[in-house]
Amino acid sequence: MSDITHPTTSIEHPRRRFISRALMPLLMAWILWNSVFDGRTPAFLPTTAERTLYFKLPLEGVRFHWEFLEPSAFLAGELTLRIINTNRDDTLVIFHDGKISDGWQMIGTNTRDSSFYFGFSTGRRYVTAADDSLIITLRAPKDLRGHGVYKEGTLPAGTWQSQGTYSSIYGGRWNPLDFLVRAGDPPMAFMECWDTVWPIRVTKKTGWGGLKPANEDSGVFSRIKTQGVDGRVCGSSNQTD
């Protein structure tokens, strides 16, 4: 009796095949969008929509994380966000004289030592568009001590201000990337692209992550120049923690 060798066949699960076929056009559209339009929405397509907001303060040398060690001192001043366009000029008060405005909250829920994270978000929706101009202003009555992953430092007392644009926006526009990133989620605008940063006076070169590794800034990611939705290079992106 002769041996019969049967060819092996690969049977693709129907659900997996359906998902891959459904996502492939979106993936190809995303690649095309980024290669042709550099990820930005062209001017001939509308981008105005009501979106929730998320932002971090433009602190010098801080790429991702920073916490103010004295929340009462941080909140004792005032923080405002101004959104400007041709027919709009809205100034949103995030906190004032110790009280956070209704609808706003600190990013995250818990910190290691009851400190205050340097970012805010809101579930309320505000009119936003890709060509908006942003102005963030912090009034600090006293020096604000804080720490990050690899250092501690102080933001000096004073009035600090930076202009910028959205680092990314989702929803309310015709962009295939939205379906990949935030399918089913409400439209949202992220604000982490600022032209200038506020100086941190370093007091200790260790943070909650200990001493900064010597090769921490040698990766490809550290050399990427982030662009905002209007194409400008974000001065706040060329940072290290």
Side-chain angles (χ1 to χ4, degrees):
M1 183 175 178
S2 60
D3 294 332
I4 299 176
T5 302
H6 296 279
T8 58
T9 59
S10 175
I11 301 176
E12 187 177 7
H13 192 282
R15 180 179 296 180
R16 186 180 303 167
R17 183 168 62 246
F18 171 78
I19 293 175
S20 62
R21 289 180 177 177
L23 290 180
M24 186 56 67
L26 292 176
L27 179 60
M28 295 304 297
W30 178 77
I31 295 174
L32 178 64
W33 196 274
N34 279 271
S35 62
V36 176
F37 298 115
D38 197 23
R40 301 190 303 274
T41 302
F44 60 82
L45 294 177
T47 62
T48 301
E50 292 186 346
R51 298 181 174 92
T52 61
L53 305 177
Y54 174 110
F55 72 89
K56 294 179 181 179
L57 300 182
L59 302 182
E60 181 182 24
V62 177
R63 181 189 294 141
F64 295 119
H65 304 300
W66 187 262
E67 295 171 357
F68 291 105
L69 295 173
E70 300 174 86
S72 59
F74 175 53
L75 297 174
E78 182 180 66
L79 179 64
T80 61
L81 172 67
R82 188 178 176 190
I83 304 176
I84 307 170
N85 209 308
T86 305
N87 299 313
R88 291 182 286 109
D89 190 340
D90 302 317
T91 297
L92 312 179
V93 178
I94 316 304
F95 67 74
H96 176 73
D97 290 344
K99 182 180 179 181
I100 301 177
S101 300
D102 292 341
W104 287 92
Q105 59 275 327
M106 178 188 76
I107 293 174
T109 54
N110 297 307
T111 54
R112 297 157 191 76
D113 46 14
S114 299
S115 52
F116 204 100
Y117 198 69
F118 77 129
F120 290 85
S121 66
T122 178
R124 292 186 177 180
R125 300 190 185 190
Y126 295 90
V127 177
T128 57
D131 58 346
D132 287 345
S133 295
L134 309 174
I135 301 176
I136 188 80
T137 305
L138 172 67
R139 178 176 60 82
K142 60 180 293 186
D143 292 353
L144 301 177
R145 296 188 306 113
H147 63 181
V149 181
Y150 299 127
K151 68 183 177 185
E152 294 184 6
T154 301
L155 177 68
T159 298
W160 301 101
Q161 187 175 89
S162 288
Q163 299 184 24
T165 184
Y166 302 110
S167 49
S168 56
I169 56 175
Y170 298 100
R173 59 179 187 162
W174 176 230
N175 189 324
L177 182 61
D178 294 6
F179 299 99
L180 292 174
V181 178
R182 292 185 59 82
D185 293 329
M188 194 168 192
F190 292 86
M191 291 165 280
E192 299 178 71
C193 183
W194 306 104
D195 295 343
T196 58
V197 292
W198 305 340
I200 292 293
R201 187 167 58 231
V202 178
T203 56
K204 188 177 181 181
K205 293 186 178 180
T206 56
W208 67 69
L211 185 67
K212 185 175 183 178
N215 62 346
E216 180 71 12
D217 298 323
S218 60
V220 175
F221 179 79
S222 64
R223 296 191 293 272
I224 294 177
K225 296 288 188 179
T226 305
Q227 288 185 321
V229 295
D230 64 357
R232 80 178 75 179
V233 174
C234 309
S236 56
S237 67
N238 189 24
Q239 299 286 297
T240 59
D241 286 309

